[in-house]
Amino acid sequence: MNANLYALFASRFPQDRTACCIETHDGLFYSWNDLDRATAKIANLLASLNLPKDSRIAVQVEKSPEALILYLATIRAGYVYLPLNTAYRAAEIEYFIDDAEPAVVVCSPQNFGWVSKIAFKAGTQHVFTLGDDRQGSLLVRAALQSNSFDTVERRPDELAAILYTSGTTGRSKGAMLTHDNLASNAKVLHDYWRWQPGDVLLHALPLFHVHGLFVASHGALLNGSKMIFLPKFDATEVMRHLPRSTVFMGVPTYYVRLLAEPAFDKNACANMRLFVSGSAPLLTDTFNEFIARTGHTILERYGMSETTMLVSNPYDGKRVGGTVGLPLPGVSVRVVKGDGAPCAADEIGDIQVKGPNIFKGYWRMPEKTAEEFTSDGYFKTGDVGKFDANGYLSIVGRSKDLIISGGYNVYPKEIESFIDEMDGVTESAVVGVPHHDFGEAVTAVIVTRPGAAVSEGDVIGYLKSRIANFKVPKRVFFLQDLPRNTMGKVQKNVLREQFKDA
Ligand code: MCA
Ligand code: AMP
């Protein structure tokens, strides 16, 4: 049997292929026939390029139905999809392209100048453009191709996607996900969250991370369900479409922003079946306020780029606020102490996981991959948590130095290395402090050289021209010295406490 993930989706398309598969915010309708034919055209285009096996197709484009179609076409043609955040700037894109050596790069038309320069320098042969308005050379070239394509045979353990996830030492690592990693997780979630006939997914997440690209889209595709596609999250737009939707997925910031809308109430959610939250901790206050306002209990779940989804609150059973729920069927989750011994209920330790959804390793980093697995094959998540007596997992912290802002990961080490390059800066420490909207806000604390005149505005301006906007500190503070422990290590917990009300 062909284990290509696209073949699985195709086997679940609804009988009526003229039914709507994707509806856009501005009133366009794509049927399942359209999806089949459009993925075939792009798959034929990719096949015509005679790319080597396992070629990476790197994509940095705005969200659109065609962006999802490009993902599916890549999988269908047997290549490896490599999505990139649209906020990334030249230095970030250059790193990913140099590291992944994609055979094809697809970028937004307005970025063609600088992206193609980076790609051609790195040896990429083909650079196409794709806009969010159905423009660009990719579609022009694909239009000339046949609209039928035999989905390429793939084994379960062959690569389907690489997702870059930043490293604690600053270097991003490409998590290699196989067809079976994605297919097994999609099937489990489809059953666990009880997707049903008539479901409609309101899709407001970006298409370059696990949450929007896999968890949300795969559920609808496996269910043969319509997706209403929003170009980005916007609370007013979400509310406009909720009455015709049944399933919504988002990061906690989405729920905070929805609750800030006075008209968001039981009535607004009357047609809804399921709200899912993940990618960052959902505050218990948000969880409780959501129940009070809408009568719906948000289902919180937990996963990673390396693992896709691991743990979820139940659909039918009790959804407990402040917890991420129970291990998904087929996924083994344990909490261990420093010496590897299992923790008792309510005892805090490191979270380790095993299952068919766990990635194949980091792209071209075998030593790093080996370091992140235990001798008995468990992946070390870098998250710290505890099980309660009922088997519900809570995440209480992270052993990795990571900030999650509005669902995006920011690695302090990367930001510190940019700040430390600035004239007049001696050293810096970047921490996350509580933020009502983004959950955590990136905050920089800097020590300057004597006599140097570096201002908050200078630092923010310098960083904005170099790195993705969401990584730029919201505030910058200056100290004479950074607090250190007896080993000389910067005490970030002290800084987090000192600037928590910033
Ligand atoms: C935008 N900005 C941000 C963020 N997003 N700053 C910090 N954190 C962010 N997440 C910047 C903008 O560039 C802008 O900067 C300023 O903040 C205000 O922008 P705003 O209009 O409020 O932002 P927005 O366009 O509304 O975006 C906020 C957002 C978005 C809707 C929350 O960030 C988002 O969609 N996040 C979802 C991320 C996601 O999909 N995560 C899943 C990862 P300036 O003022 O300087 O111009 S997958 C994952 O983690 C795993 C595996 C899992 O478990 O799911
Ligand atoms: P990423 O590198 O984007 O895959 O982010 C994965 C990380 O997001 C995990 O290791 C967790 O730290 C965090 N995460 C995801 N879901 C949740 C959640 N529901 N609660 C708390 N943290 C979460």
Side-chain angles (χ1 to χ4, degrees):
M1 212 186 79
N2 186 1
N4 188 311
L5 177 67
Y6 185 85
L8 170 68
F9 294 142
S11 72
R12 305 279 196 101
F13 285 180
Q15 277 203 325
D16 178 8
R17 301 277 184 102
T18 63
C20 182
C21 166
I22 302 176
E23 177 186 328
T24 64
H25 68 293
D26 50 357
L28 292 178
F29 293 84
Y30 294 67
S31 69
W32 294 88
N33 275 332
D34 293 333
L35 188 78
D36 178 52
R37 291 177 191 143
T39 55
K41 279 178 176 285
I42 297 179
N44 275 314
L45 171 61
L46 295 175
S48 75
L49 303 175
N50 287 319
L51 308 174
K53 186 162 185 295
D54 285 339
S55 284
R56 279 76 57 208
I57 314 296
V59 178
Q60 190 199 28
V61 298
E62 296 298 332
K63 184 174 175 182
S64 68
E66 287 71 22
L68 184 70
I69 286 167
L70 171 58
Y71 158 59
L72 294 171
T74 302
I75 303 280
R76 190 171 182 186
Y79 296 117
V80 181
Y81 194 70
L82 196 169
L84 295 165
N85 193 320
T86 46
Y88 290 149
R89 314 292 300 254
E92 290 151 320
I93 293 294
E94 188 166 14
Y95 172 78
F96 296 123
I97 291 186
D98 283 350
D99 191 57
E101 297 180 349
V104 176
V105 169
V106 184
C107 65
S108 300
Q110 67 272 22
N111 296 341
F112 180 78
W114 64 269
V115 175
S116 62
K117 211 185 246 174
I118 292 171
F120 292 137
K121 193 168 131 245
T124 298
Q125 302 273 327
H126 310 277
V127 181
F128 296 107
T129 59
L130 175 64
D132 55 2
D133 51 359
R134 298 173 306 289
Q135 300 294 319
S137 59
L138 183 86
L139 300 182
V140 171
R141 291 279 301 276
L144 306 171
Q145 301 288 334
S146 156
N147 62 14
S148 75
F149 182 85
D150 288 334
T151 299
V152 168
E153 292 275 335
R154 279 292 170 258
R155 291 192 318 270
D157 65 343
E158 288 187 288
L159 285 196
I162 295 182
L163 269 83
Y164 272 86
T165 154
S166 294
T168 37
T169 52
R171 272 196 73 197
S172 266
K173 302 165 289 180
M176 299 188 290
L177 295 162
T178 66
H179 285 265
D180 189 53
N181 288 151
L182 300 180
S184 60
N185 207 237
K187 285 190 278 194
V188 164
L189 293 179
H190 181 263
D191 293 347
Y192 205 73
W193 293 343
R194 303 271 201 281
W195 279 87
Q196 45 192 257
D199 269 338
V200 174
L201 172 73
L202 181 50
H203 194 301
L205 285 155
L207 278 181
F208 41 70
H209 283 310
V210 162
H211 203 160
L213 185 63
F214 300 152
V215 183
S217 309
H218 288 182
L221 289 167
L222 271 190
N223 203 52
S225 271
K226 175 163 100 174
M227 294 181 238
I228 300 178
F229 245 50
L230 302 186
K232 59 172 283 207
F233 174 83
D234 177 284
T236 317
E237 274 293 284
V238 167
M239 285 184 55
R240 185 161 79 86
H241 292 286
L242 277 180
R244 296 187 303 117
S245 310
T246 64
V247 179
F248 179 80
M249 301 191 192
V251 299
T253 300
Y254 293 9
Y255 293 108
V256 170
R257 290 187 182 184
L258 282 169
L259 287 169
E261 295 291 319
F264 186 68
D265 59 10
K266 280 197 174 64
N267 210 13
C269 301
N271 200 49
M272 289 297 293
R273 178 176 74 76
L274 178 62
F275 288 95
V276 175
S277 176
S279 312
L282 181 74
L283 295 182
T284 315
D285 281 354
T286 312
F287 176 86
N288 288 333
E289 194 185 340
F290 205 88
I291 298 174
R293 282 274 288 281
T294 68
H296 282 275
T297 307
I298 298 175
L299 184 156
E300 185 173 6
R301 63 27 170 210
Y302 156 62
M304 296 179 70
S305 301
E306 288 94 332
T307 64
T308 64
M309 296 304 103
L310 297 161
V311 177
S312 169
N313 270 281
Y315 185 76
D316 289 323
K318 191 167 167 49
R319 300 178 197 166
V320 182
T323 83
V324 289
L326 308 159
L328 285 166
V331 180
S332 171
V333 180
R334 68 187 185 191
V335 176
V336 299
K337 298 181 211 172
D339 60 2
C343 290
D346 293 322
E347 204 179 350
I348 293 172
D350 296 322
I351 302 173
Q352 300 182 345
V353 297
K354 198 177 190 173
N357 49 323
I358 309 301
F359 74 136
K360 206 171 173 172
Y362 293 113
W363 171 253
R364 291 184 181 161
M365 288 189 183
E367 306 82 24
K368 190 76 203 155
T369 304
E371 267 173 39
E372 300 300 332
F373 282 88
T374 63
S375 54
D376 60 348
Y378 277 77
F379 174 63
K380 303 172 193 168
T381 62
D383 291 311
V384 173
K386 59 176 184 177
F387 277 116
D388 69 14
N390 298 319
Y392 282 68
L393 183 71
S394 303
I395 297 171
V396 301
R398 303 171 198 131
S399 59
K400 51 194 174 191
D401 192 11
L402 161 70
I403 300 166
I404 306 185
S405 170
Y408 287 142
N409 290 3
V410 180
Y411 281 82
K413 178 85 189 153
E414 185 190 2
I415 318 305
E416 289 159 7
S417 60
F418 275 99
I419 297 175
D420 294 350
E421 279 172 4
M422 285 184 74
D423 282 343
V425 170
T426 304
E427 61 173 346
S428 62
V430 168
V431 294
V433 301
H435 189 275
H436 69 283
D437 183 33
F438 292 129
E440 288 181 279
V442 178
T443 305
V445 184
I446 297 179
V447 178
T448 54
R449 287 190 220 296
V454 183
S455 69
E456 178 171 33
D458 294 339
V459 177
I460 290 177
Y462 180 87
L463 293 174
K464 274 198 171 172
S465 63
R466 286 170 174 78
I467 52 174
N469 227 352
F470 67 86
K471 298 180 188 172
V472 175
K474 301 288 180 212
R475 291 299 313 270
V476 178
F477 298 96
F478 295 89
L479 288 183
Q480 294 285 333
D481 293 295
L482 296 178
R484 292 181 188 278
N485 65 16
T486 49
M487 311 287 287
K489 201 170 174 280
V490 175
Q491 291 172 303
K492 291 201 164 175
N493 52 334
V494 172
L495 294 174
R496 275 191 285 269
E497 182 59 28
Q498 186 172 349
F499 296 105
K500 68 175 194 291
D501 300 321

